[in-house]
Amino acid sequence: MAERAAPGGAGPEAAAPVPAGAQVPELSREEKLQLRKEKKQQKKKKKSEKGPGAEPPEPGTPSEPGQPQAVHPTSLPALADGPGGTEKPAGGKSKAELRAERRAKQEAERAQKQAKKAEQSQAATPAKPRLTPTEPQSVVKRLPEHVQVDDPAAQKKLAKKLERQQVPLRQDYGTKVNLFSHLHQYSRKKPLTQQMSIPSTVIHPAVVRLGLQYSQGIINGSNARCIALLEVFKQLIRDYSTPPNDELSRDLVAKLKPHISFLNQCRPLSASMGNAIKFLKKEISCLPDTLREEEAKEKLQDTIDKYLREKILLAAEAISKSAFEKINNNDVILVYGCSSLVNRTLCDAHVEKGRAFRVIVVDSRPRLEGRDTLRRLVRKGIHCTYVMINAISYVLPEVTKVLLGAHALLANGSVMSRVGTSQIALVSKAYNVPVLVCCETYKFCERVQTDSFVSNELDDPDDLIVLRKGQAQLSGWAENKSLRLLNLVYDVTPPDLVDMVITDLGMIPCTSVPVVLRVKNVDQ
Amino acid sequence: MPGAAERGSELSEQIEAFVARLRGGGERPRSEDTARQTMALLQKIIEHGRWGRAGELMDLIRTEGQRMTAAQPSETTVGNMVRRVLKIIREEYGRLHGRSEESDQQESLHKLLTSGGLSEDFSTPYPLLRANVIEAINELLIELEGTTDNIAMQALEHIHSNEVIMTIGYSRTVEAFLKEAARKRKFQVIVAECAPFCQGHEMAVRLSKENIETTVMSDAAIFAVMSRVNKVIIGTKTILANGALIAVSGTHTLALAAKHHSTPLIVCAPMFKLSPQDNKMVPVFLTLLYSRLIQFPNEEDSFHKFVSPQEVLPFTEGEILAKINVHCPVFDYVPPELITLFISNIGGNAPSYIYRLMSELYHPDDYEL
């Protein structure tokens, strides 16, 4: 019996009206496992055959409807009229026979659905082999490793995976605050490169350098990290050569995995980097087999360039133009930390369009990124004021709007950004000052988060130690068992504290993020 | 008498030294110490000063008080102690003059109704006045000694086990409060470090020495972790008559975050911090290091005190400093609707009751020194 796995097949199985009680769960689980296997195989087949034609499932299906339909009429009557029909003992049917009947019935229903879908997809344009309504019923996503530090099984799995890829495992440093024991906490003084031989045989030297730049904080900021990553990947692709018996599309992805693990160990990947990697992997696996290696590599580099140009550089220009409409003369604008997008918007508005406004730069320890913003803005001649974050209650009465940058926008509308952003949004709301967030669409994430605890990043706790009047109060914190230092990197701003998000698609409210995600998925 | 003149000049020297110390700034003095020093000085003025009648004494105290408060307006404890002494003098005079407590109250109600009616002239000399006043001041000093302990004794009524408590900066009252609770209960404390002075670090080190599990974090993470905090306990510099606070910068953000998460905000402060003055009365005290003048759009801001912006942006940043403004306010105004409870040496009170306590401590005529 052909058990074609339909994308929506898992549903009707569990909901099928089955008379017996105890046997139902076992059946569904087995069926589900098998379904999953079938789905995986199907996906692999689809990906490898997508290039030449968009009809890989199509040739398969026309043969299918014939078979299940043949089964269908015979099995249904068998169930419909119990005593007659097939040769079954009147009254008690054996368990195996009942199971077989049920299975046959479910397969028939599934095959019917499959047939319907095959007809629909044949009628539709070949460019869309998968219909979007099937998206919401995908399997549960796997929990990322970096939020499972307190689970020994997950850590063992990670260690094994890294060993296989020949990437060193970075050790955690210092006692963690209990609330965050599920996250990693690394020390900047112990970079990952100390645990590996340089030059490494597995990791490309450009990637090693990039990893070091990430972990030491030399490259900071969502956009900067993503651009650096894509440039390094371009170099990787240039230096790559396909081994003799393999295909570029499959082998390159496999070669990229240890590099990505290495970068992840140096510093957890940001949402922008994650999206870029997903895009790149998809592009690689969609490469047609007919291309020669040189052509394929060039095509990949071109797509990376296009992604960089469209999603990051042009998007920044579009956002700057949109945000400019919101900046009036004699405005007092409050910004926090260092966001490349916000800096660009303000510089453009002042230099090219000549708007007259004042900027108040708010900064916080221990990163003190606001000083970079200050330098950049002052260089362009913008009138600036500088305060620490505890003084926002003092400056807010004279502020007309708040412009913030974002690290990622989550699917429930929350804004994930540098720690302190949510505080600024909260106090601004109390003073009735509008809060505008600038974010490109490539940073939109399908994750949802309601607080800043479950998924965050812990920075080096030693950064909090400061020398004042010749004495560093916290220098002995490691020996003190009751003292912990907490250096959070991100926090999550609830959507009701943000008034508007300015993206390259226009100005949207926070709650429209899942709409944008959906539109993006359909386009791709 | 040569002895009196000598004592007089010694006294004025001491007053000068005290005023200079107040004006000098530098190390932030402990409010209790300031209160005690003020009281000691006032005691000496009463003992050795040249006065004959109550009225003269009050004028003398008032003059000296004005001088001391003008030196450092943000140290409101000085003014509060002066007002307490004035009230003591009025009470002792009233007692000697033969007026009973009840008629006194009726007097004030009558005064309310009839504008400019009966007024004390304090002109009758009483030889016993000096001794009585000094005795009352001694009692007040004893009360001052015990304020921190009184507040700390109430700790167990407010902290249960396995709590997460948040605080900001370094308040010795809160430190004593938490240490007392830690003797019997196990709980955790999160301290916001309060940049740029980072007093929170010292607080955290001291608390951790008592085996209280303490976490230090940056001020920027206050809202991020607030959802896991059960109580916020803070100290303050001044309590205003409407129940508002003048506390260390960053407290307003903390109070707003607590309100957003419906976390109770408890203020531990002794009664001598209660100040009747209108915050508009406190003149602006600025240390300007850059050539631009900062305009104050809001009268409410007149309580502000600033320190050298070098704490925020050090001079090592270079010539960019010539092109920007840098602010470093020390205090924050916290409105009374964000506060849940005041714990003081006389017990726990709601912010709406503070005005009543004030009328017991100070006389309305003394609100403006």
Side-chain angles (χ1 to χ4, degrees):
Chain A
M1 281 181 283
E3 288 184 30
R4 277 310 299 284
E13 212 178 37
V18 185
Q23 293 146 344
V24 177
E26 285 182 45
L27 261 177
S28 328
R29 213 185 297 145
E30 283 175 50
E31 298 281 42
K32 271 190 185 159
L33 276 173
Q34 253 188 317
L35 246 184
R36 264 190 215 138
K37 277 192 206 154
E38 298 285 356
K39 247 194 249 182
K40 275 195 194 151
Q41 285 173 11
Q42 218 200 350
K43 271 193 186 162
K44 278 194 195 156
K45 237 203 278 177
K46 267 193 197 168
K47 275 197 181 145
S48 57
E49 294 170 38
K50 229 184 205 176
E55 315 198 358
E58 267 68 281
T61 47
S63 59
E64 287 296 305
Q67 243 187 358
Q69 273 168 11
V71 174
H72 177 85
T74 54
S75 61
L76 264 187
L79 290 168
D81 39 312
T86 51
E87 312 92 50
K88 285 193 173 85
K93 295 184 187 163
S94 71
K95 277 192 188 168
E97 281 166 328
L98 272 171
R99 223 182 282 157
E101 278 173 18
R102 256 179 258 127
R103 191 179 282 167
K105 187 179 172 202
Q106 284 164 6
E107 270 167 46
E109 285 177 20
R110 211 184 309 130
Q112 248 194 339
K113 264 203 180 177
Q114 178 69 18
K116 269 195 212 151
K117 280 217 174 92
E119 286 168 8
Q120 281 179 1
S121 57
Q122 270 184 319
T125 56
K128 290 187 183 178
R130 276 190 318 169
L131 292 176
T132 39
T134 62
E135 298 281 315
Q137 293 174 18
S138 57
V139 290
V140 173
K141 295 178 204 138
R142 232 174 358 148
L143 200 59
E145 174 279 326
H146 73 270
V147 297
Q148 285 188 303
V149 177
D150 53 350
D151 181 11
Q155 290 307 299
K156 246 195 260 177
K157 225 171 107 188
L158 171 75
K160 266 199 221 145
K161 176 177 119 182
L162 290 180
E163 221 184 282
R164 222 180 339 121
Q165 295 174 339
Q166 295 178 0
V167 172
L169 175 70
R170 200 166 180 195
Q171 298 298 327
D172 280 359
Y173 164 75
T175 22
K176 284 185 258 189
V177 180
N178 278 343
L179 288 167
F180 294 97
S181 54
H182 60 285
L183 297 172
H184 283 295
Q185 183 170 279
Y186 299 128
S187 165
R188 195 161 296 137
K189 296 196 202 64
K190 298 202 192 92
L192 197 55
T193 43
Q194 283 175 0
Q195 295 171 257
M196 52 193 275
S197 63
I198 295 179
S200 156
T201 45
V202 178
I203 313 282
H204 191 283
V207 176
V208 175
R209 185 173 70 156
L210 185 66
L212 257 183
Q213 284 173 328
Y214 283 164
S215 69
Q216 300 302 105
I218 299 171
I219 296 188
N220 247 332
S222 200
N223 280 339
R225 284 166 74 188
C226 188
I227 294 175
L229 178 77
L230 288 175
E231 295 289 335
V232 162
F233 275 176
K234 268 186 6 197
Q235 168 126 18
L236 253 179
I237 292 173
R238 267 198 296 270
D239 297 341
Y240 168 79
S241 54
T242 329
N245 293 332
D246 239 324
E247 278 186 32
L248 182 131
S249 55
R250 249 169 286 169
D251 186 58
L252 184 55
V253 178
K255 281 272 166 25
L256 279 181
K257 284 208 177 121
H259 294 103
I260 296 171
S261 300
F262 175 76
L263 290 176
N264 205 1
Q265 287 294 298
C266 288
R267 190 176 161 189
L269 297 179
S270 68
S272 53
M273 290 162 69
N275 286 346
I277 290 175
K278 238 187 271 178
F279 163 79
L280 187 61
K281 280 190 181 165
K282 192 158 149 276
E283 284 299 310
I284 294 175
S285 47
C286 288
L287 278 178
D289 276 338
T290 54
L291 287 179
R292 285 185 301 113
E293 185 180 316
E294 290 307 317
E295 286 175 4
K297 292 204 305 197
E298 244 194 73
K299 184 163 186 277
L300 276 177
Q301 292 185 48
D302 281 339
T303 32
I304 293 181
D305 276 333
K306 188 158 160 263
Y307 186 85
L308 263 176
R309 200 176 46 246
E310 278 178 16
K311 304 280 182 177
I312 303 180
L313 300 172
L314 285 179
E317 239 184 77
I319 291 176
S320 170
K321 274 207 184 77
S322 303
F324 170 70
E325 293 163 29
K326 294 291 170 190
I327 299 178
N328 307 316
N329 270 327
N330 298 323
D331 254 351
V332 180
I333 300 179
L334 188 126
V335 300
Y336 176 63
C338 187
S339 164
S340 51
L341 204 46
V342 171
N343 290 350
R344 191 201 162 130
T345 310
L346 293 176
C347 292
D348 283 348
H350 179 84
V351 169
E352 287 171 28
K353 316 281 176 79
R355 279 277 155 87
F357 55 89
R358 260 193 322 125
V359 174
I360 299 183
V361 179
V362 178
D363 204 8
S364 76
R365 281 197 73 237
R367 285 174 167 246
L368 293 174
E369 292 169 328
R371 295 187 185 178
D372 281 334
T373 311
L374 200 60
R375 277 189 211 105
R376 279 174 224 195
L377 295 180
V378 168
R379 204 174 298 149
K380 302 280 178 170
I382 301 178
H383 189 320
C384 291
T385 308
Y386 180 78
V387 289
M388 297 295 270
I389 197 170
N390 49 1
I392 44 175
S393 305
Y394 171 67
V395 290
L396 265 172
E398 47 173 354
V399 172
T400 51
K401 44 183 74 83
V402 176
L403 261 185
L404 300 171
H407 168 257
L409 238 65
L410 306 174
N412 61 333
S414 313
V415 178
M416 186 164 190
S417 183
R418 186 67 80 219
V419 67
T421 313
S422 54
Q423 216 162 291
I424 297 208
L426 175 76
V427 185
S428 307
K429 190 106 188 159
Y431 281 89
N432 274 327
V433 176
V435 175
L436 310 172
V437 172
C438 299
C439 185
E440 300 97 331
T441 45
Y442 86 102
K443 288 184 191 160
F444 285 16
C445 253
E446 272 138 16
R447 267 191 312 129
V448 284
Q449 221 175 311
T450 50
D451 59 29
S452 318
F453 291 89
V454 270
S455 182
N456 208 326
E457 192 185 324
L458 293 178
D459 210 357
D460 192 351
D462 290 335
D463 287 345
L464 283 177
I465 302 177
V466 70
L467 208 64
R468 283 197 63 84
K469 300 194 174 77
Q471 199 195 17
Q473 292 273 354
L474 295 177
S475 49
W477 75 278
E479 288 87 42
N480 193 342
K481 278 199 214 72
S482 312
L483 189 58
R484 316 268 159 98
L485 300 186
L486 180 63
N487 191 356
L488 276 179
V489 180
Y490 299 117
D491 75 6
V492 171
T493 309
D496 50 346
L497 296 179
V498 175
D499 291 307
M500 192 162 69
V501 179
I502 305 178
T503 69
D504 40 321
L505 292 177
M507 301 199 217
I508 59 173
C510 255
T511 43
S512 297
V513 170
V515 176
V516 171
L517 281 170
R518 195 186 175 84
V519 166
K520 254 194 339 171
N521 279 338
V522 168
D523 280 342
Q524 287 166 11
Chain B
M1 299 184 289
E6 231 178 65
R7 267 178 279 142
S9 61
E10 200 185 290
L11 183 60
S12 53
E13 260 175 40
Q14 283 176 339
I15 297 176
E16 283 299 332
F18 182 64
V19 167
R21 206 171 34 236
L22 276 179
R23 192 181 293 138
E27 194 59 51
R28 198 164 74 101
R30 196 178 165 179
S31 292
E32 197 181 303
D33 292 337
T34 319
R36 214 177 299 130
Q37 285 165 9
T38 318
M39 290 302 294
L41 258 182
L42 292 173
Q43 208 175 18
K44 286 211 184 72
I45 293 174
I46 295 171
E47 279 176 17
H48 307 303
R50 270 178 298 166
W51 57 278
R53 303 171 219 281
E56 287 168 26
L57 175 60
M58 283 168 61
D59 286 333
L60 182 61
I61 301 260
R62 209 174 274 132
T63 335
E64 294 300 331
Q66 276 167 357
R67 217 170 99 201
M68 290 196 274
T69 46
Q72 184 68 279
S74 65
E75 283 293 335
T76 45
T77 346
V78 175
N80 295 345
M81 290 294 107
V82 170
R83 292 185 189 92
R84 286 293 283 274
V85 169
L86 287 173
K87 173 127 188 182
I88 286 174
I89 297 171
R90 279 177 208 266
E91 271 176 16
E92 293 301 323
Y93 180 83
R95 208 168 288 144
L96 287 172
H97 206 64
R99 222 176 288 277
S100 68
E101 294 294 313
E102 282 125 44
S103 65
D104 227 348
Q105 279 174 7
Q106 270 180 3
E107 184 97 89
S108 56
L109 198 58
H110 190 85
K111 257 194 236 171
L112 273 172
L113 296 171
T114 65
S115 55
L118 302 160
S119 60
E120 295 273 347
D121 59 353
F122 296 104
S123 54
T124 332
Y126 289 103
L128 285 175
L129 187 65
R130 196 182 286 250
N132 284 1
V133 170
I134 291 177
E135 201 186 303
I137 290 183
N138 281 333
E139 277 174 25
L140 188 57
L141 275 171
I142 293 172
E143 187 193 311
L144 266 182
E145 305 277 321
T147 47
T148 316
D149 288 331
N150 274 331
I151 293 176
M153 276 193 319
Q154 303 173 52
L156 283 174
E157 294 168 26
H158 297 280
I159 300 179
H160 60 77
S161 49
N162 278 337
E163 273 209 273
V164 178
I165 295 178
M166 187 183 278
T167 183
I168 188 170
Y170 181 27
S171 163
R172 290 137 189 122
T173 318
V174 175
E175 184 195 343
F177 192 81
L178 293 176
K179 279 186 182 167
E180 179 66 31
R183 289 197 308 130
K184 299 274 173 63
R185 307 254 155 94
K186 219 143 188 46
F187 54 90
Q188 303 174 27
V189 178
I190 300 180
V191 181
E193 65 178 5
C194 204
F197 304 103
C198 297
Q199 311 104 303
H201 292 189
E202 203 185 328
M203 174 81 152
V205 170
R206 279 173 187 250
L207 285 178
S208 61
K209 290 214 175 81
E210 305 290 322
N211 289 329
I212 303 174
E213 199 178 307
T214 322
T215 303
V216 181
M217 59 170 204
S218 152
D219 310 326
I222 288 178
F223 186 72
V225 303
M226 182 59 80
S227 51
R228 295 292 176 276
V229 173
N230 298 118
K231 284 195 177 73
V232 180
I233 301 183
I234 54 174
T236 177
K237 183 76 181 170
T238 305
I239 306 174
L240 297 177
N242 58 347
L245 297 181
I246 295 184
V248 76
S249 179
T251 314
H252 190 207
T253 310
L254 183 64
L256 280 172
K259 187 87 185 184
H260 186 268
H261 288 101
S262 298
T263 309
L265 178 68
I266 297 176
V267 181
C268 291
M271 271 293 112
F272 64 79
K273 287 190 179 170
L274 182 54
S275 174
Q277 60 200 37
D278 202 350
N279 54 9
K280 297 184 186 132
M281 290 294 298
V282 180
V284 171
F285 184 132
L286 276 175
T287 311
L288 281 172
L289 282 182
Y290 303 115
S291 54
R292 292 181 217 260
L293 256 179
I294 300 136
Q295 300 294 84
F296 288 98
N298 207 349
E299 267 196 13
E300 256 190 10
D301 296 334
S302 51
F303 61 84
H304 274 298
K305 173 185 167 185
F306 297 82
V307 291
S308 160
Q310 197 248 347
E311 308 282 348
V312 173
L313 200 58
F315 293 115
T316 46
E317 289 293 316
E319 47 174 54
I320 197 179
L321 294 174
K323 304 179 193 151
I324 55 175
N325 291 346
V326 181
H327 298 316
C328 184
V330 179
F331 298 121
D332 240 351
Y333 174 80
V334 183
E337 47 269 7
L338 301 175
I339 302 166
T340 318
L341 186 68
F342 279 98
I343 295 182
S344 67
N345 45 318
I346 55 177
N349 302 106
S352 46
Y353 188 65
I354 295 292
Y355 80 97
R356 201 78 196 133
L357 293 173
M358 208 173 60
S359 64
E360 291 170 13
L361 288 178
Y362 314 121
H363 194 273
D365 287 344
D366 297 331
Y367 286 178
E368 287 184 28
L369 269 183

